[in-house]
Amino acid sequence: MSAATRRLTTAQALVRFLAAQYTERDGVRHRLITGTWGIFGHGNVAGLGQALVEYADVMPYHQGRSEQAMVHAAVGHARQLNRLRVQAVTTSIGPGATNLVTGAALATVNRLPVLLLPGDYFASHAADPLLQQLEHPVEADVSVNDALRPVSRYFDRVTRPEALVASALKAVRVLTDPAETGAVTLALPQDVQTEAHDWPEEFFADRVWHVRRPAPDPAELAEAVRAVRAAERPLIVAGGGVHHSEAEQALKALVDATGIPVASTQAGKGALRHDHPADLGGVGHTGTAVSDELARTADLVIGVGTRYSDFTTASGTLFQRPDVRFLNLNITAFDAHKLAARTLVCDARTGLATLADALSGHRVDAAYEAEYRAGKARLEETVRAAFRADDDGAVPTQTQVLGALDAVVGDEDVVINAAGSLPGDLHKLWRARSPRQYHLEYGYSCMGYEIPAALGVQQAAPDTPVWALVGDGTYLMNPTEIVTAVQEDLPVKLVLLQNHGYASIGGLSESVGAERFGTDYRHRAADGSFTGAPLPVDLAANAASLGMDVLRAKTVRELREALVAARAATRPTCVYVETAPPSAALPAEAWWDVPVAEVSAREAATAARTAYERSVADRRHHL
């Protein structure tokens, strides 16, 4: 007797399959694919477009305006939901598909799952070349979608209907594997999308993917315990893996029991509440003075869920004690072995709880605890000074904008940022009140991430105030998803800071001898020099034209009032503020390696090279 089958097109079968996938962790079950973003063209409108119409009851659809932005929205969504739920993104072939590459790279760099479903050429080659098809003279099976291979954790081109069964299962395995996840791409030839096939009914049955919490190896655990007990100045570096594993309480329990202080990466900030006595704020190039001081003198660095980017290690110059050693707890062996570390390859929550049990009765020396608590007190005074605005009628600085927002948000609010000068100020100053409040995409530091990511977060947490913080440079990169926020009635809050140029890269340019070239938004004179007059650009009017309610704030007082109103708003709302020039109150506490011209006729570049050579001499390889 033959097994039951169902005759559907490939696109219809894929939608039905995706709607039946679930994740389960700690006994809690979640639907895996919560919806599909899409922009339609001739590569997907007749296939996936038709399938999404037919099965709108089981697969929500979200209309995007930019393919890259759709991926950012899906990534923000997955991060907010601890990588247990995912969104899909479908595009046409050609520019629609290549616009996915930046978002895919961001997802994979940050270990965040997203399913990409770009259209592709005709598998039959019946129409060849078709509109937007890339022709290759010696590789007929190459398309622009092959650009997604290096930025995807799994890639396949489904050239026959029956190939979808194995490919779809492999794709979901990667999406749900905490050690392998990232962007997953199924390139779908447009003729194959519409072909009918007799699919086994089992393909559409509910399937639950268990998200593992692997425990540490006993031998590795025993070695880790010996290392911690022997350490005089241990320091935990908390990365994004703490959040992905929902390990915040396990981290707190370990810290409460042992007194080991915690510094956080951009992705890990909020692993402890800001007011926990052992939370020392950010670490690395954008870190706090107390975190970086302890990092330089630590004899054991315990990395939890971090991949040790160059901002975290200050390009290999931060951890300076001659006998410093590393203990890395990470679900990914690739990251656990960095810096020649002892390893605990395991789930963060499981590993931290097991380590805490094994360290029962151990606590750091009281003098060390008193030292870092004194440093934390100095940090709190630095934050208060940066946030303080003595004149309510003055134009606010950028740090005063953050102070005003800090006074308005509740524990549940989410603050999103990714690029520019804001990440440095936020990493040093923001007082994270909950695990999900601080949402910095700094693995790829992608300008234009913030607004679409806010949409994805708002979809994941509909009753939560969600703030996208952007400068003028970032806003100009990718504002179009404001229209989507209006269309989907998502009450995201946009804080738009106008400082007339690329503030972060302008400062970097000056420090490396490039003298802020190409970083200002000002008029140019005939000789190429800047006249100093700001461009007559009204970004607030632009946001309003896209459907947002806009509140203009010129002073500290008006800013505070506008932020209170925005938080209470039930529509997409923008708070627009032109900031005063920044003060020099927040210098970098650690170096970052940006190579400087070895020879130059310009004095600024020569001076920058001299400073560079002094700093690079401190780099070390941890072996």
Side-chain angles (χ1 to χ4, degrees):
M1 184 175 180
S2 62
T5 61
R6 190 185 312 184
R7 191 162 183 79
L8 300 172
T9 69
T10 304
Q12 292 164 356
L14 177 59
V15 172
R16 295 297 306 189
F17 168 82
L18 294 175
Q21 306 307 300
Y22 296 85
T23 58
E24 179 273 322
R25 187 168 71 181
D26 304 327
V28 180
R29 177 167 155 170
H30 306 280
R31 174 168 170 166
L32 175 61
I33 308 296
T34 64
T36 298
W37 289 89
I39 296 175
F40 294 114
H42 70 97
N44 64 344
V45 66
L48 275 170
Q50 188 280 327
L52 289 168
V53 171
E54 185 147 338
Y55 297 124
D57 58 327
V58 296
M59 181 59 68
Y61 167 72
H62 311 293
Q63 182 179 0
R65 268 71 197 176
S66 155
E67 291 86 0
Q68 181 186 136
M70 293 193 298
V71 186
H72 293 337
V75 167
H77 188 79
R79 174 170 168 169
Q80 181 69 18
L81 296 171
N82 300 316
R83 306 193 300 186
L84 297 172
R85 284 169 277 184
V86 179
Q87 290 179 325
V89 177
T90 179
T91 72
S92 182
I93 74 168
T98 52
N99 284 347
L100 296 174
V101 173
T102 296
L106 181 148
T108 297
V109 165
N110 286 284
R111 301 357 185 215
L112 292 166
V114 61
L115 177 60
L116 307 180
L117 304 173
D120 215 320
Y121 57 58
F122 280 41
S124 66
H125 293 285
D128 187 51
L130 65 156
L131 178 65
Q132 299 178 320
Q133 180 180 341
L134 172 72
E135 291 184 276
H136 194 286
V138 296
E139 296 181 77
D141 62 341
V142 167
S143 81
V144 296
N145 284 326
D146 287 276
L148 288 160
R149 289 181 184 270
V151 293
S152 297
R153 293 293 288 169
Y154 177 78
F155 178 97
D156 193 15
R157 179 175 287 113
V158 182
T159 56
R160 292 179 60 87
E162 59 268 32
L164 177 67
V165 174
S167 186
L169 290 168
K170 291 175 182 177
V172 175
R173 182 195 68 79
V174 174
L175 287 171
T176 58
D177 188 326
E180 293 189 36
T181 196
V184 169
T185 301
L186 296 181
L188 301 171
Q190 55 187 294
D191 53 346
V192 176
Q193 290 182 47
T194 63
E195 289 180 22
H197 181 71
D198 294 323
W199 306 89
E201 282 289 350
E202 293 90 340
F203 186 54
F204 309 116
D206 287 0
R207 188 180 301 267
V208 180
W209 300 79
H210 176 68
V211 180
R212 298 181 295 278
R213 287 197 182 277
D217 175 82
E220 287 191 337
L221 178 64
E223 188 173 342
V225 170
R226 285 193 293 270
V228 176
R229 289 187 179 277
E232 296 178 350
R233 299 179 64 84
L235 174 68
I236 293 172
V237 174
V242 176
H243 294 308
H244 300 329
S245 178
E246 299 174 279
E248 298 89 0
Q249 288 303 311
L251 175 64
K252 182 178 181 297
L254 173 67
V255 171
D256 287 344
T258 64
I260 300 174
V262 176
S264 56
T265 69
Q266 286 280 17
K269 193 173 173 75
L272 286 182
R273 265 187 66 101
H274 74 94
D275 52 3
H276 191 286
D279 177 61
L280 306 182
V283 68
H285 177 63
T286 55
T288 66
V290 59
S291 286
D292 286 354
E293 286 166 7
L294 260 65
R296 291 185 181 97
T297 59
D299 58 352
L300 180 68
V301 178
I302 306 168
V304 183
T306 177
R307 62 189 189 91
Y308 287 111
S309 78
D310 64 338
F311 259 53
T312 298
T313 67
S315 300
T317 66
L318 184 58
F319 305 109
Q320 281 298 313
R321 182 161 164 154
D323 61 346
V324 65
R325 291 294 180 264
F326 295 83
L327 168 63
N328 291 340
L329 192 163
N330 203 297
I331 200 166
T332 305
F334 175 81
D335 290 314
H337 281 274
K338 289 177 178 175
L339 303 176
R342 294 179 175 90
T343 60
L344 278 175
V345 181
C346 59
D347 170 75
R349 193 169 87 178
T350 301
L352 287 168
T354 305
L355 185 61
D357 288 344
L359 287 168
S360 178
H362 175 74
R363 192 168 184 88
V364 300
D365 187 79
Y368 181 53
E369 198 165 353
E371 176 189 342
Y372 73 68
R373 289 194 179 204
K376 181 177 176 65
R378 293 192 297 273
L379 168 62
E380 291 173 346
E381 180 51 41
T382 298
V383 173
R384 284 192 292 269
F387 283 178
R388 186 167 53 242
D390 296 324
D391 182 358
D392 279 1
V395 175
T397 64
Q398 180 165 285
T399 58
Q400 288 170 345
V401 172
L402 298 182
L405 183 61
D406 174 82
V408 168
V409 299
D411 287 7
E412 68 276 20
D413 294 37
V414 178
V415 175
I416 301 173
N417 186 240
S421 58
L422 277 164
D425 288 348
L426 286 161
H427 201 203
K428 289 184 181 74
L429 301 173
W430 189 258
R431 300 190 279 210
R433 297 155 168 80
S434 61
R436 280 281 159 244
Q437 181 168 90
Y438 188 87
H439 183 130
L440 260 284
E441 186 291 295
Y442 216 58
Y444 211 50
S445 187
C446 186
M447 296 178 73
Y449 170 82
E450 295 91 338
I451 296 173
L455 272 61
V457 172
Q458 193 74 82
Q459 290 172 332
D463 298 323
T464 296
V466 179
W467 302 84
L469 310 187
V470 302
D472 51 328
T474 292
Y475 179 85
L476 288 168
M477 290 277 184
N478 201 8
T480 54
E481 267 10 74
I482 288 174
V483 177
T484 303
V486 173
Q487 182 179 33
E488 299 228 349
D489 201 23
L490 297 170
V492 295
K493 295 93 173 61
L494 170 62
V495 180
L496 176 54
L497 284 71
Q498 173 64 276
N499 55 21
H500 302 291
Y502 299 124
S504 174
I505 207 68
L508 177 61
S509 172
E510 189 168 45
S511 72
V512 299
E515 302 169 74
R516 293 187 177 266
F517 178 76
T519 63
D520 285 324
Y521 292 166
R522 292 181 292 166
H523 281 290
R524 279 186 177 273
D527 64 358
S529 63
F530 290 112
T531 66
L535 297 175
V537 175
D538 190 340
L539 299 184
N542 179 262
S545 76
L546 296 177
M548 272 197 143
D549 292 341
V550 176
L551 305 171
R552 296 176 184 259
K554 295 182 179 180
T555 66
V556 171
R557 183 185 306 106
E558 291 176 358
L559 174 64
R560 290 171 179 157
E561 293 169 353
L563 291 172
V564 169
R567 189 172 188 273
T570 58
R571 291 197 71 255
T573 301
C574 170
V575 175
Y576 174 85
V577 57
E578 185 168 355
T579 57
S583 67
L586 298 173
E589 299 292 344
W591 186 61
W592 181 43
D593 189 350
V594 178
V596 178
E598 192 168 358
V599 295
S600 174
R602 300 186 67 83
E603 183 179 346
T606 301
R609 179 68 190 191
T610 300
Y612 175 80
E613 290 174 352
R614 285 197 301 266
S615 295
V616 80
D618 292 331
R619 191 202 309 279
R620 61 181 294 193
H621 296 286
H622 296 283
L623 300 173

